[in-house]
Amino acid sequence: MDENDILPRSESMLDLIRVACYSKDVDKALALVQTFHDRGYETTLNIMALSNVMENELLEAFELIKESAVDVVYIVDSYGSLDHNDVKYLVEKFKTHLPNKRLGVHTHNNMQLAFSNTLVAAELGVELLDASVYGMGRAAGNCPTELLVAHLKGTKYNLRPVLGVLEQLMVPLREKEEWGYILPYMITGALDEHPRSAMAIRSSEDKDKVVDFYDKLTTPEVNFDK
């Protein structure tokens, strides 16, 4: 992306721009955030792969974020490997170190925990909850919008129109394109691995050989010729 392609907010259809980065690149991401902030947008910073971030690295990132212009900071479960205890720990840490920032959560469904992890975050005061209709998203996908709409009480959202979108568009699309809970994605989630290897196996002739896939991930030496 070229930042010069981003129009001022007054000329744009967008209200908010999300900047996603790994913790080691927070300084670069915040420079982009400032650019978009100066052009009038709301901004979020999504710190990816939190399950793999060292404590000291995260604390250093917090120091930069706290003084930045970013509006919302996202807790992101990139590998779909976190459970409710992990989410609780991270939300409390983010709230402690970033008391001046609103929080969001972005979950993946490798372990079929995207919905429950999102609910845990919401109960702890996280304001922005990422979701997608029918859970559509990379690999195992995300928290399904329809589950949140059906479950959350006292909101302005209605389930029936979402079901219409699912019936007319998403269910037929899911028959052509693959996403959602599938065993190779479960395996990468359980092993706290990026889903790229599972995506590759699902595109190959061996897409259903899950035992072999698991053995390759847990015994790396089998991948190398003697």
Side-chain angles (χ1 to χ4, degrees), residues 20-45:
C21 70
Y22 293 106
S23 59
K24 63 184 177 63
D25 296 320
V26 160
D27 56 338
K28 300 182 186 72
L30 289 175
L32 265 182
V33 163
Q34 186 63 54
T35 297
F36 300 142
H37 183 80
D38 291 343
R39 293 180 193 176
Y41 294 95
E42 288 184 81
T43 54
T44 79
L45 180 71

Side-chain angles (χ1 to χ4, degrees), residues 72-103:
V72 185
V73 185
Y74 262 83
I75 296 161
V76 182
D77 181 16
S78 298
Y79 302 160
S81 59
L82 302 181
D83 66 16
H84 64 286
N85 288 318
D86 301 317
V87 172
K88 185 173 185 288
Y89 173 81
L90 286 168
V91 170
E92 290 175 349
K93 183 169 285 296
F94 273 60
K95 287 174 78 171
T96 297
H97 291 277
L98 301 172
N100 60 331
K101 301 297 182 186
R102 298 167 66 199
L103 297 181

Side-chain angles (χ1 to χ4, degrees), residues 92-165:
E92 290 175 349
K93 183 169 285 296
F94 273 60
K95 287 174 78 171
T96 297
H97 291 277
L98 301 172
N100 60 331
K101 301 297 182 186
R102 298 167 66 199
L103 297 181
V105 66
H106 180 101
T107 57
H108 282 262
N109 206 34
N110 299 65
M111 306 286 286
Q112 295 217 31
L113 294 173
F115 176 49
S116 62
N117 284 343
T118 300
L119 292 185
V120 169
E123 288 169 3
L124 293 170
V126 172
E127 291 183 61
L128 279 78
L129 312 176
D130 277 13
S132 59
V133 283
Y134 218 27
M136 185 185 185
R138 182 200 68 189
N142 304 103
C143 175
T145 303
E146 60 274 14
L147 289 180
L148 277 184
V149 172
H151 182 84
L152 295 177
K153 308 305 178 190
T155 73
K156 62 184 178 180
Y157 303 113
N158 297 314
L159 180 60
R160 194 176 187 280
V162 181
L163 293 177
V165 172

Side-chain angles (χ1 to χ4, degrees), residues 162-213:
V162 181
L163 293 177
V165 172
L166 292 171
E167 179 182 318
Q168 295 171 38
L169 300 176
M170 303 311 294
V171 172
L173 180 61
R174 181 61 180 80
E175 293 174 0
K176 301 174 185 177
E177 303 292 338
E178 182 177 277
W179 73 83
Y181 174 80
I182 297 169
L183 288 175
Y185 301 142
M186 180 277 287
I187 292 169
T188 59
L191 297 175
D192 195 17
E193 296 263 356
H194 193 288
R196 63 173 67 88
S197 57
M199 293 166 72
I201 201 78
R202 290 303 297 174
S203 299
S204 75
E205 294 179 357
D206 298 327
K207 66 179 186 176
D208 293 315
K209 293 185 177 179
V210 294
V211 175
D212 182 59
F213 177 65

